[in-house]
Structure formats: C-alpha cells, structure tokens
Amino acid sequence: DAGVTQSPTHLIKTRGQHVTLRCSPISGHKSVSWYQQVLGQGPQFIFQYYEKEERGRGNFPDRFSARQFPNYSSELNVNALLLGDSALYLCASSRQGNTINEKLFFGSGTQLSVL
Amino acid sequence: TQLLEQSPQFLSIQEGENLTVYCNSSSVFSSLQWYRQEPGEGPVLLVTVVTGGEVKKLKRLTFQFGDARKDSSLHITAAQPGDTGLYLCAGIDYKLSFGAGTTVTVRA
C-alpha cells in the first residue's frame, strides 16, 4: 500500500502570493493532520481533520486554512505568504484521528520557499 | 513555543560509541513518542512510552520515561552510521507537541 503522499515536493513562491499544498492519506485512514517544520525546529501542529470536519487548530494566523474532501484527501492553503512561511509542510494520517492511541504516519513533506 | 526541550542540539560520534539524548518537558504528558527524521523525509515513529518509569528496548535503542512523565531519554549502544538523523521527542495530547530535536551524526 502507498504511504502518505504529498504534492508538490518543492515549491518556490514570492511574498504576498497564495499557495495550495495537497495530501493523500494512507488508504483506510480518515484523519489528516498538518504540521509546519521550520529549519532547525521540530514540527508545529497546524490543523487536524477527521471525516471532513476540523478537529483541532494550532496557533497559526487566519492566513492558514485547510479542508478535507470526501475521499479523505486534504488541502492546506496559505494566503499572503510571508518570508517566515518558508518551511517543510508535513501531512500525517491516521485511522480515526485519536492521537493518543493511534500511530501517525507522515508524508515526506512539501518544501516551501518564499522569496 | 516548544514545550519540550531536547539536549544536546547536536551530537557527533564515532561508529561503535554510545550516545544518549534527552527530552524534558514543563508539562506532564499522558504519553510520549520518539521519532527519527532523515533529510527530505517525514518523521518515522520509533517508540511510544506511556507509563512513568517505563523502559523500552528496540534493538540497540533504549528508551526511558521518567517517573513523573515529564522527561525521557534515548540511549543508543554501539552507534552505526545508519543511526544518523534528527531525533525528535513528542508529547501527546490531542496533537503531537514536538521538541526541536537532536541532530545525531555517526561517523564511519
């Protein structure tokens, strides 16, 4: 079975632009989470979705939004890009979104560079 | 803001040596996980520790969870170049709260 897949793998944008990142979870997984990993830091939680509903949101500005589709894939959107948004964006999937009892599987991420 | 502090930030050792990395929290977590991340990849789960005082072994890796469930350590015996990577600890509530990680380099 395929793991968590993310696209694109790399992306270069300029300040003020908008970006959409995509994630396909492992087959059978209904929950997707998004994390931002800035160089030299650990991943920071952005969103969690389960069955198309937002279950949790981290401390990120409203420029960040996400959604989950009926096939459980997900998009992360970032508006009005800032230089500080440059990071590796990771998507993780799990069966039920119960972080305490379930294993999270991470994709390889999308490396976003904002110039 | 990172709730979990990891030390050291960087560690470079020779193949065959032992190493220990530490993870300390200002909060109590119900459980804690250790991940390894290689360049260009996402983190991969190594272990979950749940009970205070728990010790888990995974081949040459030994994980300990402190009695108060606020600290943890990872010990690698006879390190190999394949152990090279970023080691992350993460506290679990409804989300994962990661530390900044320890970059381990094992020289052949």
Side-chain angles (χ1 to χ4, degrees), chain A residues 53-101:
Chain A
E53 297 290 326
E54 182 184 300
R55 242 193 193 177
R57 171 186 284 255
N59 188 23
F60 280 80
D62 292 344
R63 299 184 296 108
F64 289 76
S65 63
R67 55 180 176 168
Q68 187 178 31
F69 299 99
N71 67 353
Y72 304 112
S73 67
S74 178
E75 284 182 353
L76 175 70
N77 295 284
V78 187
N79 292 325
L81 284 167
L82 303 174
L83 296 179
D85 295 331
S86 295
L88 180 67
Y89 288 84
L90 294 162
C91 174
S93 78
S94 65
R95 289 194 181 278
Q96 304 290 337
N98 185 344
T99 310
I100 292 176
N101 294 319

Side-chain angles (χ1 to χ4, degrees), chain B residues 37-84:
Chain B
Q37 184 177 21
E38 299 187 19
E41 300 294 329
V44 175
L45 179 66
L46 296 173
V47 77
T48 301
V49 285
V50 179
T51 306
E54 183 176 7
V55 177
K56 280 192 173 179
K57 293 194 174 185
L58 185 67
K59 297 183 180 178
R60 294 176 294 100
L61 278 61
T62 301
F63 304 86
Q64 283 192 295
F65 200 16
D67 291 340
R69 292 187 287 125
K70 294 177 69 174
D71 60 275
S72 182
S73 65
L74 158 60
H75 181 79
I76 301 179
T77 304
Q80 299 175 359
D83 296 324
T84 292

Side-chain angles (χ1 to χ4, degrees), chain B:
Chain B
T1 305
Q2 305 280 171
L3 293 178
L4 291 168
E5 298 287 337
Q6 291 191 243
S7 62
Q9 187 177 359
F10 299 97
L11 195 54
S12 180
I13 60 170
Q14 202 69 33
E15 182 177 5
E17 294 182 337
N18 302 331
L19 69 95
T20 303
V21 299
Y22 300 92
C23 175
N24 292 288
S25 170
S26 56
S27 304
V28 174
F29 286 102
S30 58
S31 53
L32 190 143
Q33 294 181 327
W34 284 92
Y35 289 80
R36 181 169 68 214
Q37 184 177 21
E38 299 187 19
E41 300 294 329
V44 175
L45 179 66
L46 296 173
V47 77
T48 301
V49 285
V50 179
T51 306
E54 183 176 7
V55 177
K56 280 192 173 179
K57 293 194 174 185
L58 185 67
K59 297 183 180 178
R60 294 176 294 100
L61 278 61
T62 301
F63 304 86
Q64 283 192 295
F65 200 16
D67 291 340
R69 292 187 287 125
K70 294 177 69 174
D71 60 275
S72 182
S73 65
L74 158 60
H75 181 79
I76 301 179
T77 304
Q80 299 175 359
D83 296 324
T84 292
L86 175 67
Y87 288 82
L88 295 158
C89 65
I92 305 171
D93 40 51
Y94 71 95
K95 66 184 188 305
L96 297 178
S97 298
F98 285 91
T102 295
T103 299
V104 171
T105 303
V106 182
R107 304 185 305 274

Side-chain angles (χ1 to χ4, degrees), chain A residues 6-18:
Chain A
Q6 293 187 242
S7 63
T9 55
H10 296 83
L11 201 52
I12 299 175
K13 292 285 189 178
T14 56
R15 281 178 297 174
Q17 285 190 311
H18 160 272

